[in-house]
Amino acid sequence: MKNPKAVSSDSRTTALGTDKIRKDFPIFSQNIHGKPLVYFDNAATTQKPRAVIDALLFYYQTQNANVHRGIHYLSEIATSLYEASRVKIQRFLNARESKEIIFVRGATEGINLVAHSYGRTYLKRGDEIIISGLEHHSNIVPWQILSEQTGAVLRVIPVSDKGELLLEEYERLLSKRTKFVAVGHMSNALGTINPVKKIIQMAHHWNARVLVDGAQAVPHLPVDVQDLDCDFYVFSGHKIYGPTGIGALYGKAGLLEAMPPYQSGGDMISYVTFGKTLYNTLPYKFEAGTPHIEGVIGLGAAIDYVLGLGLDKIETYERELLAYGTKALLSLPGIKIIGTAKEKGCILSFVMDGVHPHDIATILDRQGIAIRAGHHCAMPVMERFGLPATARASLAFYNTRGEIDALIQALKHVREVFKT
Ligand code: C6P
């Protein structure tokens, strides 16, 4: 492997100010197995900037209290910070109203909330739900369970050899039986960015509701839920440089208002007697129990941080980095990239002739390079490509061309190890 000092940016990768940005992330000041950390597992979770860590620390040291309950100074501070984060997310997604933002544990819980509350209320036997062949398990299993419980039928949009959704096939699947469409904005296994606006328009033509799983998209692309006209949009805070255990569900107010609560208990009520309970208004109707207050505050800090860098700049930088990484990977003999869609986010999923992806990941780890290997919780995608697993390098704005070069050197080393 090259000198670890090579793991830095060069003049072409500093448009975003990567050298400076990396200093915002304390985790990069350490070595892993004696090598500088090269973190290429951003699709699994991202690293946290000092601004987020400090917001969490400051909250616990000076602001900790429960929200929406206490009539005391700290509770008022905590409540105002909590609600300020909701407004940040509203603006971030360009939702019409802050009450359309529901705090959840992450994308998975957001999808489950909709499948449970909307799905069980409005879907019935014979109705059809369309998902795509690119989905993460979190956007498959809740719809499968819903189908089993309601008698609705699950249909799947097929995927091309490049990893793109076949929209002609989608068109054929749509009918007056279609009541719900759930698709990912960006595939975690391949990086494909789906034409969600078009997918939504086509579904709305048949009066079907649409949920977009934005877990992989929001860290990389500007998202405007009003422009997309999606009915629901979900994402996870930890994939956008925020804490784990917190995320958001956007839903159109009219739909959320017409849906029953998902969970029940404190905060989601306005009046309780043993005979009857009146539910709270939006968004609280869907936020039962003491919420993940510091998570919400940390997520707000993460959004501020990302917006401070500028999503347009991030997108441009990451696109260049992906192109650089793609070219570099393809220069290696015996490597095949899985997922070559025209519209693609910064994910490099690949296989190497004669080497299992887990072996690649293990050898890379010894070089301080973190990638993910496996099915990426998207087994049907692996099946589509006839593979048990891929190796996946998922990039972020703090990654550099120098780090890609280190990855390439390490992959050459893997090849050497498996030659002997
Ligand atoms: N994908 C990955 O390594 P949660 O766990 O709720 O924060 O996110 C679930 C999820 C939903 N949709 C997509 C498209 C995702 O990529 C993920 C999480 C991680 O690819 C962990 S499996």
Side-chain angles (χ1 to χ4, degrees), residues 41 43-45 105-109 111 136 138-139 184 186-189 213 215-216 236 238-239 372 376-377 392:
D41 197 16
T45 199
R105 278 191 297 131
T108 303
E109 191 177 45
I111 297 166
H136 183 278
S138 292
N139 202 25
M186 174 172 149
S187 155
N188 69 316
D213 172 2
Q216 295 296 340
S236 299
H238 69 101
K239 294 193 200 286
R372 184 170 172 187
H376 316 297
C377 302
R392 183 189 72 181

Side-chain angles (χ1 to χ4, degrees), residues 189-238:
L190 308 182
T192 310
I193 297 172
N194 291 320
V196 281
K197 190 167 175 180
K198 182 147 192 226
I199 289 172
I200 293 162
Q201 274 168 359
M202 288 165 74
H204 282 172
H205 176 77
W206 292 98
N207 289 324
R209 300 292 174 203
V210 187
L211 175 141
V212 180
D213 172 2
Q216 295 296 340
V218 289
H220 307 292
L221 317 167
V223 172
D224 181 333
V225 291
Q226 290 191 64
D227 179 55
L228 290 178
D229 196 26
C230 51
D231 299 295
F232 302 99
Y233 196 99
V234 296
F235 74 92
S236 299
H238 69 101

Side-chain angles (χ1 to χ4, degrees), residues 1-12:
M1 188 178 156
K2 268 186 180 172
N3 180 338
K5 291 220 171 75
V7 185
S8 66
S9 57
D10 62 21
S11 58
R12 287 161 300 183

Side-chain angles (χ1 to χ4, degrees), residues 139-154:
N139 202 25
I140 299 175
V141 186
W143 306 112
Q144 235 164 21
I145 293 175
L146 176 65
S147 300
E148 283 159 13
Q149 292 180 339
T150 59
V153 178
L154 197 61

Side-chain angles (χ1 to χ4, degrees), residues 207-413:
N207 289 324
R209 300 292 174 203
V210 187
L211 175 141
V212 180
D213 172 2
Q216 295 296 340
V218 289
H220 307 292
L221 317 167
V223 172
D224 181 333
V225 291
Q226 290 191 64
D227 179 55
L228 290 178
D229 196 26
C230 51
D231 299 295
F232 302 99
Y233 196 99
V234 296
F235 74 92
S236 299
H238 69 101
K239 294 193 200 286
I240 183 163
Y241 314 98
T244 48
I246 189 66
L249 159 69
Y250 156 81
K252 284 181 180 163
L255 291 173
L256 292 174
E257 255 143 23
M259 284 159 53
Y262 171 52
Q263 293 177 340
S264 47
D267 231 22
M268 52 70 71
I269 57 90
S270 70
Y271 193 74
V272 178
T273 66
F274 287 119
K276 170 113 188 109
T277 292
L278 298 178
Y279 304 135
N280 209 338
T281 51
L282 288 180
Y284 313 109
K285 182 172 81 174
F286 291 106
E287 293 179 3
T290 297
H292 185 10
I293 304 166
E294 80 277 21
V296 168
I297 292 169
L299 177 55
I303 301 249
D304 284 344
Y305 181 82
V306 166
L307 292 179
L309 297 180
L311 264 168
D312 290 343
K313 280 193 195 150
I314 290 174
E315 202 186 353
T316 307
Y317 176 77
E318 290 180 344
R319 198 179 301 128
E320 283 169 11
L321 199 60
L322 176 70
Y324 183 80
T326 305
K327 198 163 162 227
L329 261 189
L330 291 176
S331 72
L332 295 177
I335 293 263
K336 186 172 176 207
I337 294 181
I338 311 298
T340 51
K342 196 157 164 265
E343 292 300 323
K344 201 180 149 177
C346 49
I347 283 182
L348 289 163
S349 222
F350 61 93
V351 287
M352 184 187 265
D353 282 350
V355 188
H356 193 281
H358 284 141
D359 291 330
I360 300 177
T362 305
I363 296 173
L364 260 51
D365 176 56
R366 301 305 301 178
Q367 308 283 347
I369 302 174
I371 63 160
R372 184 170 172 187
H375 53 62
H376 316 297
C377 302
M379 282 185 177
V381 178
M382 298 298 118
E383 204 184 325
R384 165 65 183 80
F385 287 89
L387 297 164
T390 69
R392 183 189 72 181
S394 50
L395 320 179
F397 58 69
Y398 42 56
N399 292 128
T400 66
R401 290 187 180 204
E403 289 181 318
I404 301 264
D405 296 342
L407 171 70
I408 299 301
Q409 289 307 315
L411 288 172
K412 286 182 181 164
H413 175 60

